[in-house]
Amino acid sequence: MGGGAGYGNIVDAGSALIAITPAGELVVFEPNDTGLKVLANYKVAAGQTHAYPVLSGKRIVIKDKDDLTLWTVE
């Protein structure tokens, strides 16, 4: 899922799990009986991320080292 210190943050988004890696990748997973299925993968930050993504409705707030960005899910 990306390089870095070997950690990530995972947030429960109802029917999916959203993970962010230290390298700024946002990965959307669907849990099932046999494991996790990757639904989407996005590069959302140019720098390292150290905070959980914040979900609010169809919006995702991402904090990296220098910036705070708002993403909208369609």
Side-chain angles (χ1 to χ4, degrees):
M1 283 198 313
Y7 69 91
N9 295 306
I10 300 174
V11 176
D12 184 348
S15 62
L17 298 174
I18 296 179
I20 193 160
T21 70
E25 283 185 74
L26 187 81
V27 185
V28 181
F29 295 96
E30 176 183 61
N32 59 42
D33 292 341
T34 59
L36 298 171
K37 176 183 175 185
V38 176
L39 301 176
N41 190 345
Y42 305 98
K43 181 71 173 174
V44 295
Q48 289 188 336
T49 56
H50 301 282
Y52 286 88
V54 176
L55 309 177
S56 178
K58 292 187 173 191
R59 296 182 178 122
I60 303 172
V61 178
I62 304 293
K63 172 72 176 104
D64 67 14
K65 182 180 174 193
D66 299 314
D67 298 308
L68 184 67
T69 56
L70 175 66
W71 294 79
T72 302
V73 179
E74 296 291 325

